Structures are given as structure tokens and as C-alpha cells.
């Protein structure tokens, strides 16, 4: 059992990351120690670094998209979601959300466990000043507290392949599950970042008839083609009128059945409402941080008879299904290509800045490199 672990810590909002060393506490019953192979650098990490999410303790060890190898298991058996015993050497991922109570009003009555007020999230809400300290992925080890939901990685899936999913794929699974996706549907995906690309994959394997991916980054549009988009539209090279016309041209002049928003830009909402067909569905999952107000026309939404849905967070089942999709379609889509940048733990600051400049599709930190 290792004694200490290095971690990259945000001392306070907007301050440069520091490397700190923590004692690894003894493993209690039900816990396990994970040796981190990769931790994904997420857009949310940049927002956390800037102190933009409420209820977050600082100092903070970032990192909620963690894959790695079990280094040690506590004194009692630990099992994964399938009920298999977790052993030293197993390659695993875990759901970043833990402590969903399944006994509050949100969990039991409203059936919205992603709104459970008791939830804690590795790398976001868990305070490293308290036991057992190592609760974020920008570290050599993560202490998996009792009750953490663990999923084993299939042998044919590499750590980079698994890191391609990040928290984007569980979000995409949740989003697509809440939408009326069926084979034969015409789909538009606004945004070809990680979430948009994962929605594109899910639309493709669900049998969508057309999938139009819209973004302004050429490299992302190229990836969208590789991940199932039938058409791409460059936001910076087309007008709104041209985009509306194009999406009508490929749908017998009806417009798309479902538009998915995965941009993070509030202006996308105005466009999405214009693009979607009459009686169609609009699924919004990209507005995770508050980008401010935009003008929309409620009459247009009403007149179009729209089905509008939004998504907040993910449940363990979405991570589980994400890994099943990855496993089944690993040969069809080049998941590993999504990991465009890798950094060491000492380069964590640079990793965040690269993500902030949107240069990377998926950046990962490899703490042992
Ligand atoms: Zn609850
Ligand atoms: Zn994330």
C-alpha cells in the first residue's frame, strides 16, 4: 500500500494550480484505492478553476473523469455494478457522482435523482482538507469511498478509449434517452465538442436517417463525420438562413425531427427553435454554466407545437450504458482519436489553459508520465 500521493490542487479560484502531497489514509471497509491512469480535463474544470460553480470547497483537487487500475482493496469485499468482486489490478471507471441518497423527495417522489441535494461529486464538491483527502482525479491516486459505483473496463478498451467518453457520454446517453429518438429520425446536433460528438454516435447507432452536425471548428466537423454525422455545417461559413434551408433540403422540406443543443452558447437556443420542424423535439444539454439571457420568441415555440426537454447531470445507469456502447462499437468509431492532448500532473495548469482555449477535443492528464 503506497503511503503518499501527489495531487494538483486549485488553492482558491483563479489561482495557479499547486502540487501538494497527501497521506493516503488507511482503507476502510467498502473502500478501494485507484491508481489513476488518465483523468480527463473537462470544460467544467475550467469553470471550477475560475470559481464559477456554487457550493464548491477550495482548495480543490479537480478531476471527475477518471480511469485507472485498482491498487488496493479495503478489508471487506468491494463489488462493481454487475456484482463482480473488485480485485487489485482491475481496470475500472467509476461514476463521479456518489452519495445519491435514494430516500429524499427528489429521489423517491419526483424520481429525479440527479437533483438529489445529498449528491457529492469527485473533483467538484469533495473537500480534500477532510478525510480521505484524495477525492479528485488530478492526482496519482483516488480514494474510492464506500458506495462508489464502479464499472470494469472491457479488456479491448484502452484507457485513452475510455477517457474519450469523459462525462460527455453519460450526459449524451441521458439526453438521447429523454428525447424521442428512434430509427429513421432526422437529427441536427448543435456543437461538435465531446457532448455533441457522443450524441452523434448515439443517433447513428439508433438508426437516425440524417444527422447534421453544426460547429465552427473544422477539426471538430471532421471528427463528427467519423463519428456518424451524415452532413456537417460550418457555423462560421454559413448564414442562419442557409442552415435552415440546408436542414430542410435533407429532410424533404420538413426540418429535423429532433435538434440537440450541445454548444454552451445561449444563442444556439434561438437557432435551435428555428431549425426544428413543426411538432418536433428540442433537447437542451449544453447550458451547464450560466451564459446569460437571450431573446427567444415563445409564440414560435408554441405555434410549432414543440416538445422541449433539458437534462441535468447523469445517473450511474448512464455511465454503465456509455461503457456498453463504447465496448460494442469500439471498432466502428475511432474513440482514441478524441484524446488530442496529454499532460503530466506537473503540467495540469497548462492542461486547463489548453482546454480553456478550446484547442483540445479531449485533453487528459497522465499522473504517472
Ligand atoms: Zn436523494
Ligand atoms: Zn466532465
Amino acid at each position: 500500500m503506497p503511503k503518499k500521493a501527489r495531487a494538483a490542487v486549485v488553492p482558491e479560484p483563479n489561482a495557479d494550480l499547486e502540487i501538494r502531497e497527501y497521506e493516503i489514509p488507511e482503507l476502510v471497509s467498502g473502500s478501494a484505492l485507484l491508481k489513476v491512469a488518465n483523468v480527463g480535463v473537462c470544460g467544467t474544470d475550467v469553470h471550477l478553476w475560475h470559481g464559477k460553480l456554487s457550493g464548491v470547497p477550495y482548495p480543490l483537487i479537480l478531476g471527475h473523469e477518471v480511469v485507472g487500475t485498482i491498487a488496493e482493496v479495503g478489508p471487506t469485499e468491494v463489488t462493481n455494478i454487475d456484482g463482480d468482486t473488485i480485485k487489485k489490478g482491475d481496470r475500472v471507471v467509476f461514476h463521479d457522482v456518489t452519495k445519491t441518497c435514494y430516500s429524499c423527495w427528489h429521489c423517491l417522489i419526483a424520481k429525479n435523482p440527479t437533483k438529489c441535494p445529498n449528491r457529492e461529486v469527485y473533483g467538484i464538491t469533495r473537500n480534500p482538507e477532510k478525510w480521505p483527502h484524495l477525492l479528485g482525479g488530478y492526482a496519482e491516486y483516488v480514494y474510492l469511498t464506500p458506495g462508489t459505483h464502479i464499472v470494469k473496463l472491457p479488456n479491448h478498451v484502452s484507457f485513452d478509449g475510455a477517457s474519450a467518453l469523459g462525462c460527455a457520454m453519460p450526459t449524451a446517453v441521458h439526453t438521447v434517452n429523454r428525447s424521442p429518438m428512434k430509427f429513421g429520425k432526422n437529427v441536427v446536433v448543435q456543437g461538435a465538442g465531446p457532448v455533441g460528438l457522443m450524441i452523434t454516435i448515439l443517433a447513428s447507432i439508433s438508426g437516425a436517417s440524417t444527422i447534421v452536425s453544426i460547429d465552427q471548428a473544422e477539426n471538430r466537423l471532421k471528427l463528427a463525420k467519423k463519428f456518424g454525422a451524415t452532413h456537417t455545417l460550418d457555423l462560421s461559413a454559413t448564414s442562419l438562413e442557409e442552415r435552415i434551408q440546408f436542414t430542410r433540403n435533407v429532410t424533404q422540406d420538413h426540418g429535423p425531427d429532433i435538434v440537440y443543443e450541445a454548444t454552451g452558447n445561449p444563442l444556439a437556443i434561438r437557432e435551435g427553435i428555428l431549425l426544428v420542424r413543426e411538432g418536433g423535439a428540442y433537447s437542451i444539454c449544453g447550458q451547464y454554466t450560466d451564459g446569460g439571457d437571450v431573446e427567444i420568441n415563445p409564440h414560435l415555440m408554441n405555434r410549432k407545437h414543440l416538445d422541449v426537454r433539458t437534462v441535468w447531470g447523469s445517473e450511474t445507469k448512464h455511465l454503465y450504458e456509455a461503457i456498453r456502447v463504447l465496448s460494442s462499437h469500439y471498432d466502428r468509431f475511432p474513440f482514441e482519436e478524441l484524446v488530442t492532448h496529454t499532460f503530466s500532473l506537473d503540467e495540469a495548469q497548462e492542461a486547463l489553459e489548453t482546454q480553456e482555449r478550446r484547442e483540445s477535443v479531449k485533453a487528459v492528464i497522465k499522473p504517472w508520465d
Side-chain angles (χ1 to χ4, degrees):
M1 172 97 177
K3 292 269 179 285
K4 288 182 174 177
R6 297 170 76 239
V9 178
V10 184
E12 57 183 28
N14 295 312
D16 280 4
L17 271 63
E18 287 171 8
I19 299 292
R20 293 186 187 173
E21 205 169 51
Y22 291 90
E23 299 276 340
I24 300 174
E26 204 177 315
L27 292 174
V28 298
S29 292
S31 67
L33 189 69
L34 184 81
K35 184 177 179 181
V36 178
N38 285 350
V39 56
V41 179
C42 180
T44 301
D45 296 342
V46 176
H47 295 306
L48 288 163
W49 171 39
H50 291 311
K52 285 194 180 151
L53 271 79
S54 57
V56 173
Y58 293 90
L60 176 69
I61 304 175
L62 294 170
H64 55 275
E65 303 179 355
V66 191
V67 297
T69 308
I70 297 292
E72 217 53 70
V73 179
T76 54
E77 189 190 31
V78 175
T79 56
N80 71 357
I81 298 295
D82 290 310
D84 305 325
T85 303
I86 290 291
K87 299 183 297 296
K88 188 173 173 173
D90 283 346
R91 298 162 69 251
V92 302
V93 297
F94 61 91
H95 192 208
D96 57 356
V97 177
T98 183
K99 295 190 177 174
T100 305
C101 75
Y102 299 107
S103 56
C104 71
W105 181 87
H106 294 275
C107 287
L108 284 181
I109 307 302
K111 300 279 186 197
N112 285 325
T114 66
K115 298 303 297 181
C116 173
N118 301 311
R119 291 171 22 128
E120 298 259 11
V121 190
Y122 284 91
I124 297 181
T125 69
R126 306 197 77 183
N127 187 345
E129 300 297 287
K130 293 183 188 163
W131 179 92
H133 316 302
L134 295 162
L135 298 170
Y138 288 26
E140 291 172 330
Y141 292 96
V142 172
Y143 193 106
L144 300 178
T145 49
T148 299
H149 295 162
I150 300 169
V151 182
K152 279 193 197 180
L153 273 186
N155 288 335
H156 65 283
V157 171
S158 71
F159 283 131
D160 280 2
S163 285
L165 300 191
C167 67
M169 185 58 118
T171 301
V173 169
H174 195 184
T175 303
V176 173
N177 277 346
R178 267 171 73 79
S179 72
M181 172 60 80
K182 287 192 177 68
F183 56 84
K185 294 287 185 189
N186 293 306
V187 169
V188 166
V189 184
Q190 297 176 289
V195 177
L197 290 172
M198 297 301 144
I199 289 174
T200 302
I201 290 173
L202 296 173
S204 178
I205 66 174
S206 301
S209 176
T210 59
I211 304 169
V212 180
S213 171
I214 305 177
D215 202 286
Q216 54 196 350
E218 200 188 349
N219 63 329
R220 293 186 177 212
L221 290 174
K222 274 190 186 151
L223 281 169
K225 277 272 189 185
K226 290 186 181 179
F227 286 89
T230 56
H231 308 81
T232 57
L233 278 175
D234 186 338
L235 195 67
S236 53
T238 54
S239 68
L240 173 60
E241 280 313 312
E242 285 169 332
R243 293 192 290 279
I244 292 172
Q245 196 52 55
F246 184 89
T247 55
R248 290 191 159 227
N249 288 350
V250 297
T251 57
Q252 293 75 47
D253 209 28
H254 299 300
D257 302 299
I258 311 171
V259 176
Y260 293 101
E261 184 283 323
T263 67
N265 185 340
L267 288 171
I269 307 298
R270 191 153 63 195
E271 174 158 341
I273 294 164
L274 288 167
L275 291 174
V276 64
R277 74 161 166 84
E278 300 212 320
Y282 192 27
S283 280
I284 299 166
C285 68
Q287 307 290 320
Y288 250 66
T289 46
D290 189 348
D293 298 336
V294 285
E295 243 176 56
I296 54 169
N297 187 335
H299 169 64
L300 179 62
M301 296 167 70
N302 199 147
R303 196 181 75 207
K304 275 194 158 182
H305 188 59
L306 293 188
D307 177 6
V308 178
R309 284 207 160 189
T310 71
V311 169
W312 186 257
S314 61
E315 297 170 51
T316 301
K317 91 186 211 89
H318 303 125
L319 171 72
Y320 185 90
E321 290 170 3
I323 298 296
R324 299 319 312 155
V325 168
L326 175 71
S327 178
S328 308
H329 299 278
Y330 202 62
D331 295 337
R332 181 169 160 198
F333 301 111
F335 287 98
E336 289 176 1
E337 271 186 39
L338 293 179
V339 178
T340 52
H341 292 69
T342 60
F343 298 91
S344 68
L345 196 58
D346 296 286
E347 295 165 335
Q349 178 69 32
E350 200 185 327
L352 278 181
E353 288 168 10
T354 303
Q355 168 68 34
E356 186 167 38
R357 290 193 300 268
R358 295 176 137 252
E359 283 168 24
S360 48
V361 178
K362 188 81 233 172
V364 300
I365 294 170
K366 294 177 182 283
W368 296 91
D369 280 14

